[in-house]
Amino acid sequence: MIEPVALKDFFITFFSSALIILAGASYALLYAWSKVNPNSRIKIAAYFSYAVLVISVGVLSSAANFSGYWLIVTILMIIGYFFAPIGIWHLCVKTHHNEEAAITINKRRSNE
């Protein structure tokens, strides 16, 4: 029977897991910041953070002996996490666009 995480891989698992959290958060924050403040350097930093996330997940998958079903789940998570900040950004833009349109209509009605 294979141990899920060998004792010699404990620190690799711990630090790669922590790096996944930090890289994922920095990817989402930098992506949103690049949309608010259009700057190509910020967007490149966001994609660099995503690359760090992918590498960390690869290290964690190797250290934790992921295979079969868990490896597929891991790959789906990586793909999904790339598109999650993009989708959330578009959702926020559409939501606030409707609010701005409603405010504009209310201002027109109050002026009439």
Side-chain angles (χ1 to χ4, degrees), residues 54-104:
V54 170
I55 292 169
S56 301
V57 168
V59 169
L60 178 65
S61 297
S62 175
N65 299 321
F66 286 173
S67 63
Y69 173 76
W70 289 109
L71 196 57
I72 293 170
V73 169
T74 303
I75 292 169
L76 290 175
M77 182 211 55
I78 285 292
I79 293 169
Y81 203 82
F82 179 79
F83 292 107
I86 297 169
I88 290 170
W89 175 259
H90 287 292
L91 180 66
C92 289
V93 167
K94 299 249 183 211
T95 303
H96 291 288
H97 176 71
N98 289 338
E99 288 177 3
E100 290 177 10
I103 290 171
T104 304

